[in-house]
Amino acid sequence: MSRASTATSLVPEPALGDTTASNPDAPASVRIRHRAAPKSAVASATPSRLPTPHQLSAPIIRFPLPAPRGHDATLRSTFLRSRWLLWGADVTIAAIGLGAAWLLQRPVLVLVALLWLTFMTIRSTRDGRMADLFDLRRVASANVCFVFFLTLMALLALDDLYGTRATLVIGTAMGALGVGARWCLGRPALRRWFNLRVDETVLVVGDLESVTRTVAEWEGVEELSIVGVCLSESDHRPRSVNGIPVLGTVADVADVSRRVGVDIVAVHDVDKLGGLQLARLQWTLEDIGAQLSIITPVTNTVEARATVRRAGRRMLVDVAHRRPRGAVAAIKSAIDRVVAAVLLVVTLPVIGVCALLIRLGSPGPVIFRQVRVREHGRTFLMYKLRTMTVDAEERLAEVLDQNEVGGGLFKMKHDPRVTRVGYWLRRLSLDELPQLWNIIVGDMSLIGPRPALPHEVETYDDWARRRLAVKPGLTGLWQVSGRSNLSWDESVRIDSDYVDNWHPIRDVLIALRTVKAVLSKDGAH
């Protein structure tokens, strides 16, 4: 990683005067002592103006000293190899641009290719961490700026319309390939293939409760490796938090960061530190070569919803709303109904065959009707192909103690009430096809949370009730994430995540993943 291999010591040198006092107002992240001014300082003062008491007790801060960083050497090697790989990809893309210039016999395209390579090389000099190399938003933003610049230059300098079009097409294609190269190299499979270790060591700072929660949540994050924690509690602190050693208190953050050689210091409860103390900690970490990161209490939010802005001297994080409203909701509903109508017409023969098999397999109606809850607590009649015996509701009490999910939801892998035909209909998710009619009449959506039963809704807390903010869906994030294999808490979390972070492109991706989930029969029972 591109950082100075230095260490910082804010512990003072021995006092030169008679006494040395600790500053009680020193920030929690640094330790500063005062010392009496040496006699030379007093002697060098002009006769007309002697040093003031404040000058005599000015704080002394020692400059950073070199210190070994074992992990940093490995990470720096990985960082340099990653940067060379990306630069090689950029050179290849520029070569493709040069090849296009030769094929089209347009000398101006040679300039475009070289200009793009120069632009990307200069931009990459700002990448100081592994996370910067694979930040697609920054790369995409840089390439959009390049295309705008290229468009302006082409309109001003080129009189040939064909040449202008060729310039813009080649420039846009090179930008897209540049973003695509970073996306590909950011995939875990390719990282392993190139033996790129991308995890950064982290020191988590905060109170015991916040640190415990963060350590548990970051346990499965590949990019982060927690090596220690510093707690704000100075008394009765544990030796470890979820297996992560406690290395000190908030006052020891600078020393611990230097000694351990961490890459990131992630801080909770920044309001307790204060602005000046936080700034001093940032200066110290800058000398060490570590990144200061602020952990916010905001959860279940994608980064695209957050916007950082300044108000006065404070930094604000604006969290945007994502639930479809107004014209967006109307367009989404229209698309749902049109697509559902087309799918219903296409799948009518399949529904007919399934209906015949149900009729031959067991007595009772083909279509199963059940009251479900849609957005804002309103109820509707949902349609499905019947997969259970006609007395399934009466027999529910017999198997209720075998519930494998918990919460307000009942799921059982080998439910004796399911018929033989119904078993295969569920495995292939064909029993859901009549819900296309529910989408056409506006009760449901193609993508959305799972439609809940009224008795389930009665048990909802505020967190689970968030699922009712949008229409239920024929498929959704819950289905492509494991369906019946999910626990109740996981199901609620996934549905809430969908509602809070809705995006049309995300709906398209869920629809594509649904095809894979249906074919793999994962969680379908």
Side-chain angles (χ1 to χ4, degrees), residues 130-340:
M130 289 294 297
D132 298 333
L133 291 177
F134 301 102
D135 190 344
L136 295 183
R137 290 185 300 172
R138 294 176 58 181
V139 177
S141 177
N143 278 280
V144 168
C145 293
F146 173 78
V147 171
F148 278 138
F149 172 77
L150 195 64
T151 301
L152 181 61
M153 291 297 99
L155 293 176
L156 293 177
L158 298 179
D159 297 329
D160 182 9
L161 182 60
Y162 177 77
T164 302
R165 290 178 178 177
T167 300
L168 297 181
V169 169
I170 295 300
T172 303
M174 292 176 66
L177 289 174
V179 175
R182 282 153 179 80
W183 182 87
C184 291
L185 288 176
R187 299 305 91 196
L190 274 179
R191 286 177 176 178
R192 288 191 295 268
W193 193 73
F194 284 108
N195 194 25
L196 298 178
R197 180 181 176 181
V198 298
D199 62 312
E200 296 179 298
T201 54
V202 184
L203 176 68
V204 182
V205 183
D207 61 79
L208 179 59
E209 181 182 355
S210 301
V211 167
T212 302
R213 185 169 55 249
T214 299
V215 169
E217 291 176 355
W218 287 358
E219 186 177 359
V221 179
E222 292 184 357
E223 294 81 7
L224 302 176
S225 176
I226 303 178
V227 296
V229 301
C230 287
L231 300 178
S232 56
E233 294 89 350
S234 58
D235 299 327
H236 307 293
R237 61 178 186 269
R239 291 180 177 270
S240 63
V241 177
N242 290 349
I244 305 299
V246 176
L247 303 180
T249 64
V250 174
D252 305 317
V253 172
D255 291 336
V256 170
S257 302
R258 180 187 68 250
R259 186 174 69 252
V260 178
V262 296
D263 302 303
I264 300 173
V265 175
V267 182
H268 278 287
D269 308 320
V270 293
D271 55 323
K272 297 180 180 178
L273 292 176
L276 180 58
Q277 294 176 345
L278 191 63
R280 287 176 174 173
L281 175 60
Q282 181 182 5
W283 302 336
T284 303
L285 296 180
E286 181 180 358
D287 292 334
I288 296 173
Q291 171 70 39
L292 174 64
S293 299
I294 308 301
I295 303 176
T296 69
V298 180
T299 58
N300 205 41
T301 302
V302 294
E303 59 272 20
R305 291 178 60 195
T307 303
V308 180
R309 63 186 178 93
R310 183 171 179 174
R313 297 177 61 191
R314 301 289 181 178
M315 301 300 293
L316 298 181
V317 179
D318 296 330
V319 182
H321 301 291
R322 277 295 184 91
R323 193 176 64 184
R325 296 179 178 179
V328 175
I331 294 173
K332 181 179 184 298
S333 178
I335 294 175
D336 284 340
R337 297 186 186 204
V338 171
V339 174

Side-chain angles (χ1 to χ4, degrees), residues 28-68:
S29 55
V30 296
R31 291 181 291 175
I32 300 175
R33 293 189 184 183
H34 301 292
R35 65 177 182 177
K39 294 181 179 180
S40 59
V42 179
S44 62
T46 60
S48 60
R49 190 168 186 176
L50 294 176
T52 64
H54 175 72
Q55 291 173 331
L56 291 175
S57 60
I60 301 300
I61 302 179
R62 298 172 67 181
F63 287 98
L65 300 174

Side-chain angles (χ1 to χ4, degrees), residues 382-401:
M382 190 185 75
Y383 302 100
K384 295 180 67 174
L385 292 175
R386 183 174 59 85
T387 59
M388 291 186 173
T389 58
V390 291
D391 59 346
E393 294 295 327
E394 290 77 11
R395 296 173 57 189
L396 178 60
E398 302 176 6
V399 294
L400 199 57
D401 59 338

